[in-house]
Amino acid sequence: MAAEATCGAGAGSTGSLAAAVGMSNVTSFQRRGPRVGGADSGGPRLMSIAGTRPSVRNGQLLVSTGLPALDQLLGGGLAVGTVLLIEEDKYNTYSPLLFKYFLAEGIINGHTVLVASAKEDPAVILQELPAPLLDDSRKQELDEDIYNHKTPESNSKMKIAWRYQLLPKMEAGPVSSSRFGHYYDASKRIPQELIEASKWHGFFLPEKISSTLKEEPGSLTPGYIKLLQFIQNIIYEEGFDGSNPQKKQKNILRIGIQSLGSPLWGDDIFCTENCDNSHSLTKFLYILRGLLRTSLSVCIITMPTHLTQNKAVIARVTNLSDTVVGLESFIGSERETNPLYKDYHGLIHIRQIPRLNNLICDESDVKDLAFKLKRKLFTIE
Amino acid sequence: MDSAGSVVSVAPQLLIQSAGSRSSECSRNSITFSTSPLTGRSRQDVAWSRRGQSRERSCRLHPGRRAHDPGKLTLLCDAKTDGSFLVHHFLSFYLRANCKVCFLALVQSFSHYNIVGQKLGVSLTVARERGQLVFLEGLKSSMDVFFQAHKEPHPLQFLREVNAGNLQPLFEFVREALKPVDNREPAWRCPVLLVDDLSLLLSLGVGAVAVLDFVHYCRATVCCEFKGNVVALVHDSGDGEDEENDILLNGLSHQSHLILRTEGLSTGFCRDVHGQLKILWRRPSQPTAQRDRSLIYQYKIQDKNVSFFAKGMSPAVL
């Protein structure tokens, strides 16, 4: 089973990661510990969690977003305790895919998954997750694919646009079977037993909102309040914030919130010009970040920012999130027929990367990125 | 180079001069600033680079500042780029100068500031234990406020309020923190209030007028009564869509004595030059000094320091 294999590999891997959250003040940002006890199989204070790895820059714990190409652009992965905000594309075709890749990565690695949605039942969302590509049989096929693709390219040198030759080539396919990121087959569904073996929590808004609230802290919409309380309960009960020190195996909580800010959540910030509760969404994001920073969790949020023309709101939301990625698909726009974009399905904009524990961040040098979705691969070039 | 007033006149000449060797130019750059009489009087000048021998000669950021210069409001403004390195710099600067600092850290967690501070040479945990640093961690306290009802007012009480809250409890927190205590505690130097991100308060539902009131109260207390300094960071959206932010920014720009404005380069992204820093002095204290001096530097942020250079003098270009 892929999940157990990953766990086994994770425990025996680099023992230099100091992820002992229970020891000190609970924070998910730990410096890379000294390699004193690194030679032995890891004393009690050096634990590593499956599916994570420390960043080479500052020793933070990173998880994979489910897309190795995106991991590379974000500087190795998503830091634990941060929020990844995805600005949805106009017809919402590709952002659910990124959302599902993220959740599938969590299930494969054995993380606990929390799915919150206002329009689809979380159980249904989990059924539709893509299946992971196993290394052995598929790799051969893909190797041939890449090989054929690469040979004509490498032979022709660019004459006019020779500067572009110096650009780094993006990794297009599964080059090695890394346990940190997996490749998924978008046309297949994840095996049922993997879902059942994993631990997940669902928050479906129409079910939860039926009860009335006694008190209203702050001016948040009831849906947001409920969601925050739900997340906080899960974090507290399952000990992601280190409050339960008897837990032997530390794990990561992956939270996925779909279409936050849309009218389905009861928030009309993106629909009306001057709405009453205009700070509901921003307060929610702030408190959510507070919850994430003090626990071992990662969160992905998809947000339909294309619904509003109000750039101030988008700017505020961007400032409140850590990593922001925008998707722009070519469907229905004039770029579809542009020969330059013939092979691609859309553009991907990395709008913000956090500078955590550091003065600088890992910005990639390449700023114009486009993505394409093949049956087995989501590549970004 | 002899009188205060001529500092500005030296700098443009430096830029026009054609090069001798590059190192001599760069060292000239630093000499202009390090031996000017204003800097000579200040003992708390912080050398931005740790070793000071780097080829891109990092210039000193405070040619005219003295840590015991009372009552100044410094505004840090960033437009389309990230100006948080200035916050880290000021935090480590004041901690090293033995000032009592009240830091309202609303954006990131304590460990983030601590780790960056260690790279810049100060330890926030030690400072907090000694009582030199009063740290309000916004992210953690917001959870306390939100999930539990408190009887006594919490500094972040405005998160629970439905309408545009007021920042009175926050101001009380600041005043309590920076109040001079007159027993045998080791006397810290002037108190400093450092706010990471006033624009965040706007996002959390506080009106621009309430934030301006808060800054006014803080200035009256910290600058005039306690003879301290206030440093605040505000984001600038640049295009004028966020009206509340513009009101806040304009109001603060008129009140402040020193404005440090970081912007991205107008020509786009560059790997070697991360942006441009404009320094604007307003309201000079001595009547003989020139009014409203301004300087522009370009900078590159590195792992442990930031190097500044004159426009066009980046070593990547030369």
Side-chain angles (χ1 to χ4, degrees):
Chain A
M1 210 35 89
E4 280 116 16
T6 322
C7 284
S13 65
T14 65
S16 67
L17 170 65
V21 179
M23 245 184 62
S24 54
N25 220 354
V26 178
T27 165
S28 47
F29 301 131
Q30 291 277 352
R31 274 205 104 144
R32 198 168 186 165
R35 282 191 150 241
V36 178
D40 52 344
S41 62
R45 70 178 178 92
L46 299 176
M47 282 186 287
S48 55
I49 309 175
T52 63
R53 71 172 178 199
S55 154
V56 292
R57 184 178 286 285
N58 44 15
Q60 265 169 44
L61 206 53
L62 296 179
V63 290
S64 168
T65 54
L67 272 182
L70 189 60
D71 286 342
Q72 198 183 8
L73 290 170
L74 295 180
L78 202 55
V80 172
T82 58
V83 172
L84 169 65
L85 180 75
I86 298 193
E87 297 183 356
E88 291 177 5
D89 51 322
K90 207 154 43 153
Y91 301 107
N92 208 12
T93 21
Y94 297 109
S95 41
L97 212 55
L98 291 185
F99 190 72
K100 286 178 187 164
Y101 282 140
F102 183 82
L103 296 176
E105 183 72 26
I107 300 227
I108 300 294
N109 284 324
H111 299 160
T112 309
V113 168
L114 195 161
V115 186
S117 169
K119 59 180 175 177
E120 277 180 59
D121 195 1
V124 172
I125 295 179
L126 283 178
Q127 300 292 333
E128 292 176 356
L129 294 183
L133 280 177
L134 304 167
D135 302 329
D136 36 340
S137 62
R138 298 286 178 199
K139 192 166 176 324
Q140 240 183 0
E141 257 183 47
L142 288 161
D143 269 343
E144 293 170 12
D145 211 14
I146 294 171
Y147 182 69
N148 292 336
H149 190 57
K150 272 210 162 103
T151 33
E153 267 187 23
S154 55
N155 287 340
S156 63
K157 279 182 186 284
M158 300 192 190
K159 293 194 186 62
I160 297 176
W162 58 274
R163 276 277 187 191
Y164 286 111
Q165 203 160 11
L166 303 171
L167 283 180
K169 277 202 167 25
M170 298 278 179
E171 278 191 19
V175 174
S176 64
S177 70
S178 55
R179 288 177 192 99
F180 181 65
H182 294 83
Y183 290 89
Y184 294 95
D185 189 347
S187 59
K188 293 197 171 156
R189 299 277 162 256
I190 200 169
Q192 188 66 21
E193 51 269 10
L194 273 182
I195 299 181
E196 281 159 21
S198 69
K199 205 149 180 239
W200 63 273
H201 303 275
F203 181 92
F204 187 36
L205 188 67
E207 286 170 11
K208 307 271 182 174
I209 205 61
S210 48
S211 62
T212 54
L213 284 169
K214 302 187 289 278
E215 145 191 338
E216 182 138 341
S219 63
L220 291 170
T221 46
Y224 293 159
I225 298 174
K226 281 283 192 184
L227 179 57
L228 281 173
Q229 284 168 345
F230 183 73
I231 294 177
Q232 199 231 2
N233 272 340
I234 302 278
I235 289 180
Y236 183 67
E237 279 165 20
E238 308 210 351
F240 289 107
D241 55 353
S243 58
N244 194 354
Q246 282 88 9
K247 281 264 175 198
K248 46 191 182 323
Q249 180 73 13
K250 301 246 180 280
N251 209 348
I252 304 257
L253 173 69
R254 285 194 186 224
I255 305 175
I257 307 180
Q258 203 174 27
S259 284
L260 192 69
S262 74
L264 291 170
W265 284 95
D267 185 16
D268 49 356
I269 191 173
F270 286 141
C271 304
T272 60
E273 277 296 319
N274 295 317
C275 62
D276 300 329
N277 260 350
S278 57
H279 299 286
S280 185
L281 180 62
T282 42
K283 276 191 192 178
F284 173 82
L285 281 175
Y286 188 69
I287 297 178
L288 178 68
R289 248 174 92 218
L291 277 173
L292 293 179
R293 285 285 198 269
T294 50
S295 61
L296 285 174
S297 356
V298 199
C299 182
I300 190 175
I301 302 181
T302 63
M303 195 176 281
T305 50
H306 56 89
L307 289 176
T308 181
Q309 301 289 338
N310 187 358
K311 294 203 192 133
V313 171
I314 300 179
R316 284 184 186 179
V317 164
T318 305
N319 282 336
L320 279 169
S321 334
D322 296 303
T323 317
V324 182
V325 170
L327 290 176
E328 183 189 330
S329 78
F330 293 149
I331 300 177
S333 75
E334 73 274 4
R335 292 188 181 165
E336 203 169 3
T337 50
N338 190 339
L340 182 66
Y341 294 133
K342 176 164 57 80
D343 292 328
Y344 299 102
H345 290 116
L347 293 176
I348 188 164
H349 306 280
I350 311 271
R351 299 207 201 274
Q352 183 171 282
I353 299 184
R355 295 167 190 241
L356 294 166
N357 295 348
N358 219 329
L359 287 172
I360 43 179
C361 62
D362 246 337
E363 281 187 32
S364 86
D365 294 334
V366 184
K367 293 290 177 186
D368 304 312
L369 297 161
F371 66 89
K372 66 181 162 200
L373 176 66
K374 294 194 280 213
R375 188 167 67 94
K376 293 193 191 107
L377 235 37
F378 188 106
T379 51
I380 302 180
E381 284 158 15
Chain B
M1 253 195 273
D2 295 329
S3 68
S6 65
V7 171
V8 174
S9 57
V10 175
Q13 282 173 19
L14 183 67
L15 296 175
I16 297 170
Q17 262 175 10
S18 54
S21 72
R22 182 168 19 134
S23 53
S24 73
E25 248 191 6
C26 290
S27 56
R28 190 84 81 106
N29 210 353
S30 72
I31 287 175
T32 311
F33 280 83
S34 62
T35 62
S36 82
L38 293 175
T39 320
R41 271 183 295 200
S42 119
R43 287 163 299 159
Q44 304 304 332
D45 236 3
V46 175
W48 189 259
S49 92
R50 295 178 101 197
R51 266 169 254 104
Q53 298 299 323
S54 58
R55 291 183 69 205
E56 315 140 12
R57 189 65 70 169
S58 5
C59 73
R60 305 189 170 204
L61 189 54
H62 300 278
R65 285 191 64 108
R66 295 169 289 185
H68 49 281
D69 213 5
K72 296 280 188 273
L73 169 64
T74 304
L75 180 66
L76 311 174
C77 170
D78 59 13
K80 294 193 185 343
T81 182
D82 189 12
S84 57
F85 67 95
L86 289 171
V87 175
H88 294 296
H89 159 69
F90 275 101
L91 182 61
S92 55
F93 173 70
Y94 282 118
L95 282 177
R96 254 185 295 205
N98 253 345
C99 294
K100 177 146 193 191
V101 178
C102 174
F103 187 22
L104 302 181
L106 302 174
V107 179
Q108 300 278 9
S109 62
F110 177 75
S111 56
H112 164 80
Y113 292 106
N114 195 17
I115 293 180
V116 181
Q118 278 171 0
K119 292 193 178 177
L120 295 179
V122 290
S123 166
L124 295 190
T125 30
V126 170
R128 191 161 66 165
E129 282 161 19
R130 279 195 311 191
Q132 188 188 6
L133 173 68
V134 178
F135 195 94
L136 175 67
E137 190 172 346
L139 290 172
K140 206 159 70 155
S141 321
S142 67
M143 287 187 351
D144 292 335
V145 170
F146 186 74
F147 289 112
Q148 296 139 25
H150 279 253
K151 306 291 177 303
E152 67 277 357
H154 190 275
L156 295 183
Q157 190 68 24
F158 58 89
L159 279 175
R160 295 183 69 93
E161 289 170 17
V162 182
N163 306 322
N166 77 342
L167 294 171
Q168 179 93 1
L170 191 59
F171 167 67
E172 297 291 335
F173 175 82
V174 170
R175 189 166 66 169
E176 196 55 42
L178 291 180
K179 198 164 60 173
V181 184
D182 42 15
N183 53 10
R184 352 166 212 101
E185 184 187 292
W188 307 114
R189 302 181 69 172
C190 61
V192 176
L193 169 65
L194 192 56
V195 185
D196 192 358
D197 225 343
L198 288 174
S199 310
L200 191 75
L201 291 174
L202 293 178
S203 307
L204 292 177
V206 186
V209 179
V211 181
L212 282 172
D213 284 344
F214 168 72
V215 175
H216 179 75
Y217 269 81
C218 286
R219 217 160 62 93
T221 320
V222 177
C223 294
C224 303
E225 196 181 320
F226 299 155
K227 304 278 183 293
N229 291 329
V230 178
V231 181
L233 174 70
V234 180
H235 291 302
D236 183 14
S237 54
D239 294 346
E241 310 105 9
D242 198 346
E243 291 172 0
E244 295 222 320
N245 205 9
D246 288 339
I247 293 174
L248 178 63
L249 187 61
N250 287 332
L252 285 179
S253 313
H254 285 293
Q255 290 180 35
S256 52
H257 297 95
L258 173 65
I259 302 180
L260 296 173
R261 193 183 160 86
T262 56
E263 313 174 318
L265 294 179
S266 54
T267 44
F269 172 72
C270 168
R271 206 172 7 163
D272 295 304
V273 179
H274 287 149
Q276 182 165 286
L277 175 72
K278 273 194 208 169
I279 308 179
L280 178 66
W281 282 275
R282 307 180 82 248
R283 298 190 185 195
S285 47
Q286 306 100 331
T288 53
Q290 287 194 6
R291 314 200 66 206
D292 285 19
R293 303 187 308 208
S294 82
L295 288 171
I296 298 183
Y297 289 105
Q298 293 181 339
Y299 62 88
K300 172 174 181 184
I301 306 179
Q302 290 154 351
D303 195 37
K304 286 193 174 142
N305 75 25
V306 178
S307 51
F308 292 88
F309 32 85
K311 259 180 151 174
M313 298 279 197
S314 159
V317 170
L318 292 175

